[in-house]
Amino acid sequence: SGDISIRIRFGRIKGSFENPMMGALEFDSEGETEETGNPMIDMMGSMFTANAGQELSLVMNQDGDVVSVDGVDEMVDRLLENNPMAAMGGQLDPENMKEQMKDNFEGQLGQIPADPVAVGESWTSDRGMSAAGGMGMQMSIVSTLKSLSGDEAVIDSDITGELSGGQMASMMEVEEFKGTSNTTLSVKDGLPLSSVAKINMTATMDTPQGQGAIVMSIDTKLERIPVTASAAETPSSSDEAPAEKPSEE
């Protein structure tokens, strides 16, 4: 059928969060997260790092569409253990989460152009990524084939985007939403061998107390590892970027 089975293991989850209504927080699944004294934001820090070590199993078809996701129920259970309030409003409904995961991993894993390109040529794709609460990111991606050598293709991408949907998005005016990525693909199966991406966003948010600035930076690192690798054989997750490590079954 041409379908590919993929296992995703979440490695280190590290980052920071700042919201004018709640304050700032730094979190790290491999270190201690400092408590801020604000129970709400401390609970969010636990939720951000809850999925470190979790695994998902995906099936992707030959068109780059994710057709099934397994392991979401276990992920939702761990999120709710760390933040029971997240169940309010159905934000962590497993079926909704599966659709979000499909959107997000299609954007991360499916990077092949629809038509053949030569080294130095570019193509444009539009992708959406979903988030809890109905908010999403709509992105326009201009990708360039930088090199093709043996079984590996290197692709550089420039990303521009905007927020859409959900109450949170309606409260924000985005001033900048840009990013870049560098990906090495396997020519054999069209999936990433490794990828590093960075997205930066600055926005102004309307709150009952007035306007506040939001600055967001998302660093993502993907690395393919053998599906038989044990935890001890998994590449070090000490890098600064959070790691999501896909491996083909």
Side-chain angles (χ1 to χ4, degrees), residues 10 96-97 99-109 126-141 159-165 169 177 197 199 216 218 220 222 244:
F10 292 87
N96 290 339
M97 287 283 288
E99 292 306 312
Q100 292 169 19
M101 291 294 175
K102 287 180 182 180
D103 290 344
N104 295 347
F105 286 118
E106 282 175 8
Q108 291 182 351
L109 300 176
D126 295 317
R127 293 219 168 85
M129 296 181 70
S130 303
M135 188 171 71
M137 294 184 288
Q138 300 299 319
M139 293 177 288
S140 177
I141 306 170
I159 304 162
T160 57
E162 60 183 17
L163 299 181
S164 63
F177 191 148
I199 294 177
M216 180 181 72
I218 302 175
T220 306
L222 291 92
E244 297 174 9

Side-chain angles (χ1 to χ4, degrees), residues 151-168:
D151 293 330
E152 297 184 0
V154 177
I155 297 171
D156 283 348
S157 298
D158 292 314
I159 304 162
T160 57
E162 60 183 17
L163 299 181
S164 63
Q167 182 179 5
M168 187 71 73

